[in-house]
């Protein structure tokens, strides 16, 4: 992704910190949305699969839940596409001057995401189309046949779009994860510059499994909330109600309980450079939240009610918050050295710019100028080509301007004893600096 490197501007250490916050914010929007979309799509496809025997409650569920998560295209844009673009931007900036191919993974993730979105929306519409066909009742044999034919065509189309949507969304999720895990391992930045095998590292795989279980758990909570929150207006018959409740509670419990397992596996496979006390601290909060969530699922399952369906949503938001903070801390730790390199690069870049615009703020050192330009002809207490400073400086006492004037434009003073002093071509600031220096040194 050479072209990405070209858009990079050196960043000051202040900006680097800001960029890391931006990355955190980005993930805070992206992670829960992606998880909900992913889990919901998996469930919807599962229900559609069960619905093929003709049980209406499954097809209703398949359609309902995909409708909820895709209710508005601009949400998909704001919570999916925009954060992915900012992640690409942030990683490109933060990993500038390394060979890490993190941004490449992120771009692949975005492309897969866009493709998956097209499939998912098609899938959603074909589910509606199928319903429509089923609703059309006609006594005319010819129309009935036609409707039947279109229906089966639509069915095969929608089943495929759903699957393709899932394939591309999985790819998108996986690319993103592989990229962000690679970003945590400076040792791999230089060694891994191409090849597909690098995608399948242990940390990426365990993280993916963890994300998958988190997606399914949060989607179960979403289903509960959608159908059973106190203000819910969806009307279900008894059979649908019982099935949906039991399904969401069971899957929610299972996928919450297995999260710590994948989480721990991921921590074990994470590069050492990414671990810090902060990461472990947040991990404790993560485990605690998971414990609370699984307890709520368990209580509801046991009592066969849905009284915590709203609280669960909040808890999941908190949980994802912790996940993101942990990732961000890990990245900050892992990239600490890189950030210093970048900040240093910025300073050089800034100095160069200033020089180009004649704003150089390089400190002018009188001592350096004396050592570089004057020392050949002048000592403080000995005559060389020119007079000793101790002999000539007294007359400049309290008259620095005159001294500066002389240095800038030497005139003949003592033609009997000395040749003329050649003009040293100093700039006014430099002349002043060297004047200060020799006066100060002479007075000592
Ligand atoms: C190539 C030799 C040479 C170099 C280099 C040189 N000078 Fe001189 N400087 C002279 C000579 C010769 C004189 C005596 C000139 C005269 O009396 O007409 C002199 C005289 C002076 C005087 C005395 C002026 C006076 O009023 O009597 C000062 C002060 C001085 N130089 C400062 C400097 C400083 C500061 C630099 C470095 C930026 C410098 N010179 C570099 C040769 C040199």
């Amino acid at each position: 992704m050479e072209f990405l490197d070209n858009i990079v501007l050196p960043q000051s250490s202040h900006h680097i910190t800001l960029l890391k916050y931006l990355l955190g914010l980005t993930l805070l929007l992206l992670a829960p949305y992606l998880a909900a979309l992913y889990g919901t799509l998996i469930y919807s496809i599962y229900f559609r699969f069960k619905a093929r025997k003709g049980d209406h409650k499954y097809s209703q569920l398949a359609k309902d839940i995909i409708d909820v998560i895709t209710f508005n295209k601009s949400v998909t844009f704001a919570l999916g596409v925009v954060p992915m673009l900012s992640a690409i931007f942030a990683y490109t900036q933060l990993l500038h001057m390394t060979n890490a191919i993190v941004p490449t993974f992120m771009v692949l993730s975005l492309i897969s995401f866009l493709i998956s979105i097209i499939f998912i929306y098609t899938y959603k519409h074909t589910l509606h189309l199928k319903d429509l066909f089923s609703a059309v009742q006609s006594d005319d044999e010819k129309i009935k046949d036609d409707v039947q034919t279109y229906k089966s065509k639509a069915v095969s189309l929608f089943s495929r779009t759903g699957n393709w949507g899932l394939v591309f969304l999985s790819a998108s999720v996986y690319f993103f994860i592989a990229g962000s895990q690679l970003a945590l391992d400076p040792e791999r930045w230089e060694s891994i510059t191409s090849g597909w095998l690098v995608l399948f590292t242990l940390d990426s795989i365990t993280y993916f499994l963890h994300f998958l279980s988190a997606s399914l758990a949060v989607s179960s909570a979403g289903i509960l909330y959608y159908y059973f929150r106190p203000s819910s207006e969806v009307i279900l018959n008894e059979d649908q109600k019982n099935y949906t409740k039991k399904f969401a509670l069971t899957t929610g419990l299972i996928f919450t309980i297995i999260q710590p397992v994948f989480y721990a596996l991921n921590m074990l496979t994470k590069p050492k450079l990414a671990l810090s006390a902060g990461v472990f601290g947040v991990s404790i909060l993560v485990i605690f939240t998971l414990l609370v969530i699984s307890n709520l699922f368990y209580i509801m399952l046991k009592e066969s009610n849905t009284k915590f369906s709203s609280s669960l949503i909040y808890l999941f938001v908190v949980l994802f918050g912790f996940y993101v903070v942990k990732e961000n801390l890990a990245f900050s730790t892992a990239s600490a050295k890189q950030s210093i390199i970048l900040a240093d690069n910025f300073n050089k870049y800034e100095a160069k710019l200033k020089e180009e615009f004649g704003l150089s703020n390089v400190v002018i050192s009188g001592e350096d100028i004396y050592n570089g330009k004057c020392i050949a002809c002048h000592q403080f207490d000995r005559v060389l080509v020119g007079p000793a400073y101790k002999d000539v400086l007294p007359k400049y006492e309290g008259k620095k301007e005159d001294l500066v004037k002389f240095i800038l434009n030497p005139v003949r003073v003592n033609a009997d004893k000395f040749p003329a002093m050649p003009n040293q071509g100093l700039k006014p600031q430099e002349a002043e600096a060297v004047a200060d220096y020799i006066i100060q040194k002479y007075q000592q």
Side-chain angles (χ1 to χ4, degrees):
M1 293 289 144
E2 297 272 311
F3 75 94
L4 280 175
D5 260 353
N6 293 335
I7 58 167
V8 171
L9 271 182
Q11 303 291 328
S12 66
S13 63
H14 191 69
H15 277 156
I16 293 168
T17 317
L18 272 179
L19 273 171
K20 285 183 182 168
Y21 282 126
L22 171 79
L23 193 61
L25 261 171
T26 298
L27 294 179
L28 219 46
L29 295 178
L30 184 64
Y33 174 73
L34 213 53
L37 181 65
Y38 196 32
T40 307
L41 182 62
I42 294 175
Y43 284 152
S44 174
I45 291 177
Y46 169 75
F47 290 136
R48 192 218 64 215
F49 180 75
K50 294 202 78 167
R52 73 195 187 292
K53 294 218 181 85
D55 189 335
H56 178 66
K57 80 168 171 264
Y58 296 123
S59 48
Q60 183 68 36
L61 267 170
K63 191 169 64 120
D64 278 355
I65 60 175
I66 204 72
D67 272 356
V68 173
I69 193 73
T70 57
F71 76 102
N72 187 330
K73 286 199 185 72
S74 33
V75 171
T76 309
F77 188 74
L79 297 181
V81 179
V82 173
M84 277 191 179
L85 281 170
S86 355
I88 294 173
F89 168 78
Y91 275 122
T92 309
Q93 298 271 344
L94 290 170
L95 297 176
H96 179 49
M97 304 201 305
T98 69
N99 281 326
I101 50 175
V102 175
T104 311
F105 284 166
M106 297 297 165
V107 169
L108 289 174
S109 171
L110 176 65
I111 295 172
S112 317
F113 181 72
L114 291 173
I115 299 175
S116 79
I117 285 301
I118 297 173
F119 279 121
I120 292 169
Y121 276 90
T122 317
Y123 169 68
K124 165 191 165 155
H125 291 305
T126 41
L127 282 181
H128 284 264
L129 207 61
K130 192 197 157 209
D131 258 24
L132 199 72
F133 284 130
S134 308
V136 176
Q137 301 283 346
S138 171
D139 292 336
D140 185 328
E141 277 305 315
K142 169 92 177 66
I143 296 183
K144 221 178 194 170
D145 275 0
D146 278 357
V147 169
Q148 201 49 48
T149 328
Y150 278 117
K151 185 182 165 185
S152 53
K153 274 189 185 161
V155 168
S156 74
L157 174 68
F158 87 64
S159 53
R160 263 178 282 142
T161 51
N163 296 346
W164 282 115
L166 183 58
V167 168
F168 279 98
L169 192 59
S170 306
S172 174
V173 168
Y174 197 88
F175 277 131
F176 201 95
I177 286 174
S180 56
Q181 296 305 293
L182 177 60
L184 296 182
D185 193 357
E187 276 171 13
R188 275 190 286 160
W189 291 352
E190 304 305 320
S191 59
I192 291 177
T193 47
S194 68
W196 294 93
L197 265 183
V198 306
L199 278 173
F200 300 101
T201 52
L202 270 181
D203 52 348
S204 299
I205 294 171
T206 49
Y207 199 98
F208 178 75
L209 291 174
H210 174 234
F211 187 81
L212 181 64
S213 49
S215 300
L216 292 171
V218 74
S219 299
S220 300
I223 293 177
L224 274 186
Y225 182 75
Y226 175 67
Y227 287 110
F228 299 105
R229 69 177 187 275
S231 57
S232 173
E233 280 160 13
V234 197
I235 298 158
L236 296 176
N237 64 31
E238 237 6 76
D239 177 34
Q240 280 175 324
K241 218 182 242 170
N242 287 337
Y243 174 78
T244 312
K245 186 163 62 182
K246 186 145 179 268
F247 175 85
L249 288 175
T250 322
T251 49
L253 181 60
I254 293 173
F255 291 117
T256 306
I257 291 182
I258 59 174
Q259 271 181 70
V261 179
F262 293 131
Y263 187 87
L265 282 176
N266 179 248
M267 290 296 270
L268 289 177
T269 49
K270 259 196 172 36
K272 299 285 158 292
L273 277 172
L275 299 179
S276 64
V279 170
F280 284 113
V282 180
S283 300
I284 292 173
L285 294 173
V286 163
I287 302 294
F288 177 74
T289 316
L290 283 172
L291 206 72
V292 175
I293 293 179
S294 49
N295 261 308
L296 295 190
F297 272 126
Y298 179 72
I299 294 170
M300 289 191 284
L301 195 61
K302 219 173 123 195
E303 298 177 357
S304 186
N305 59 28
T306 53
K307 57 184 176 186
F308 297 123
S309 49
S310 303
S311 330
L312 273 181
I313 295 293
Y314 296 120
L315 282 169
F316 269 103
V317 170
V318 171
L319 179 68
F320 273 87
F322 288 147
Y323 283 151
V324 169
V325 170
K326 180 212 72 182
E327 267 324 278
N328 226 32
L329 279 177
F331 180 62
S332 278
T333 317
S335 64
K337 196 173 143 210
Q338 160 72 357
S339 300
I340 294 171
I341 296 176
L342 283 183
D344 183 55
N345 183 44
F346 173 79
N347 292 340
K348 284 188 194 136
Y349 166 83
E350 191 183 43
K352 206 180 114 218
L353 261 194
K354 281 196 171 154
E355 205 174 297
E356 269 170 27
F357 290 111
L359 295 168
S360 177
N361 68 344
V362 177
V363 183
I364 304 168
S365 143
E367 183 174 5
D368 286 349
I369 297 173
Y370 169 75
N371 286 329
K373 296 224 160 185
C374 324
I375 205 166
C377 301
H378 292 288
Q379 296 271 310
F380 280 84
D381 44 17
R382 202 155 56 87
V383 176
L384 285 181
V385 183
Y389 282 152
K390 77 169 174 15
D391 298 333
V392 290
L393 285 185
K395 69 178 175 210
Y396 289 106
E397 208 127 6
K399 293 189 220 155
K400 199 179 96 182
E401 296 81 57
D402 289 350
L403 179 58
V404 173
K405 222 183 271 167
F406 174 85
I407 297 171
L408 280 174
N409 190 11
V411 290
R412 303 238 50 179
V413 185
N414 203 337
D416 324 339
K417 283 213 251 143
F418 297 105
M421 166 170 151
N423 192 321
Q424 297 303 302
L426 298 183
K427 298 197 185 101
Q429 284 169 324
E430 297 169 328
E432 194 163 338
V434 75
D436 282 339
Y437 171 74
I438 56 178
I439 290 174
Q440 182 206 348
K441 183 94 197 268
Y442 148 77
Q443 281 168 350
Q444 279 171 4

